[in-house]
Amino acid sequence: VYTSPEIFRLEQQGLFSREWLCVGREADIPAAGDYFLKEIAGRSIIVMRGKDAKVRAFYNVCRHRGAKILDEVHGKCPGRVLCPYHAWSYNLDGTLLAVPQASDDLNKESLGLVPVRLESHQSLLFVNQDDDAMSLAQYLADLPDLTRFRIPELVCGKRLEYEVEANWKLLCENYSECYHCSGAHPQLHRITESITRGERQQEIGACFNGGPMRLREGIETMSMSGKSRLPTIPGLTHDDCRYVHYYVIYPNILLSPHPDYVLIHTAWPRSPGRTEVICEWLFTKEAVSNPDFDPSDVIEFWDMTNRQDWALCERTQLGVSSRGFRQGPYQPAEDCVHTFDRWYADKLAAML
Ligand code: FES
Ligand code: FE
């Protein structure tokens, strides 16, 4: 499952074309005509805000002779979407606007851009290419209530993209355990502790699994210094300020609420052995609007930790690609890895 092109194709069709996938946030495209492109399962999708302020998604494919329309990954269409081939144009809601030298019997109503389902949760935008899939609200029904982290009000203070030479599932598995932390992340280990079994509650639902880690005494957040130089998310409880939560939301979101910021990774499989990762740090408005806003303490911490993790994933990709690879037994600290793998195994069984 980590190396086979056959399995990769199955996943692209059976998972990434059928599940709800988080592609961005409402705030990424604040004004009419703002858009971004996302490539999912080999198909380019436009996510755009209309004149009515509604966000919609369409395949990035012209209804005339099928040219790809937009190229800029993040941009703005001033009032219309124009195909560069024969200049058919579309309104911001995807309907066909104008066709040069059109035949008299052209039925414009039936020639809008092909829509992709788009729904939003806590201002996170999700798309799903399967018209028969359950609604996003149903899909996320048992996700823990994270409203106290105020994700819709937070502002993206930093975004980093990584290319990792490893299968996307190795990234999800690696995120799901801290069994490797004491050896591989000395800086992280210095500031958080895994919670002992029994004390710790693994949280499990149909669409996610995860668990908390406790900040050590005197540590305020996950940063190089262990201190928080940024305002805490208002309204958090004492406990919220002592723990960092880690959730894998299937298939590819890694969501980590901290006392003073929320970290979101999304992992995008590009081949069996290559994954693109987008990592965003969301801070309070108060923090970002401060002229002295300096998130480097937390960015540096997570960028370093990310790179340590990607190196482990790449090392594992090399190992699992060998004919000498035999899967070993999960250890107690890997219960979340096991839960993820069982979710995946069920999905894979249904695809075969
Ligand atoms: Fe787009 Fe012809 S393919 S206008
Ligand atoms: Fe790690």
Side-chain angles (χ1 to χ4, degrees), residues 174-175 177-178 180-181 184-185 188 302 305-306 308-309 312:
N174 173 74
Y175 177 85
E177 48 95 354
C178 215
H180 67 275
C181 289
H185 301 305
L188 180 143
W302 271 115
T305 305
N306 283 339
Q308 291 166 342
D309 278 325
L312 295 171

Side-chain angles (χ1 to χ4, degrees), residues 31 49 52 107 131:
R49 193 175 291 277
D52 56 359
N107 178 4
D131 290 332

Side-chain angles (χ1 to χ4, degrees), residues 61-69 82-90 96 98-100:
V61 178
C62 182
R63 285 300 302 275
H64 177 219
R65 284 190 12 228
K68 182 181 180 196
I69 305 174
L82 178 68
C83 178
Y85 199 164
H86 313 92
W88 283 32
S89 59
Y90 302 86
L96 183 60
V99 171

Side-chain angles (χ1 to χ4, degrees), residues 94-227:
T95 51
L96 183 60
L97 171 66
V99 171
Q101 305 159 47
S103 64
D104 296 336
D105 59 350
L106 186 86
N107 178 4
K108 280 214 263 174
E109 279 70 49
S110 65
L111 290 169
L113 296 176
V114 175
V116 178
R117 289 177 68 186
L118 179 140
E119 290 172 29
S120 121
H121 174 80
Q122 297 247 337
S123 87
L124 302 172
L125 300 169
F126 288 74
V127 299
N128 194 325
Q129 297 187 58
D130 180 3
D131 290 332
D132 298 325
M134 65 177 89
S135 71
L136 178 66
Q138 278 173 299
Y139 182 64
L140 299 177
D142 59 5
L143 193 65
D145 183 6
L146 299 172
T147 43
R148 65 192 189 284
F149 290 101
R150 300 171 181 257
I151 292 174
E153 296 163 39
L154 300 182
V155 179
C156 181
K158 181 74 178 177
R159 173 189 166 106
L160 287 179
E161 295 179 18
Y162 302 91
E163 290 268 326
V164 187
E165 297 297 320
N167 186 272
W168 67 279
K169 298 184 290 297
L170 291 178
L171 277 68
C172 294
E173 291 172 346
N174 173 74
Y175 177 85
S176 297
E177 48 95 354
C178 215
Y179 188 31
H180 67 275
C181 289
S182 60
H185 301 305
Q187 299 86 347
L188 180 143
H189 187 64
R190 186 176 61 78
I191 62 176
T192 53
E193 50 192 334
S194 305
I195 296 166
T196 53
R197 283 186 99 212
E199 178 195 354
R200 171 168 171 264
Q201 272 293 45
Q202 186 192 6
E203 298 169 71
I204 302 184
C207 69
F208 84 102
N209 94 89
M213 281 183 53
R214 189 170 38 213
L215 295 166
R216 292 187 192 276
E217 254 348 282
I219 299 294
E220 297 166 352
T221 194
M222 307 287 273
S223 64
M224 292 307 278
S225 65
K227 296 288 169 208

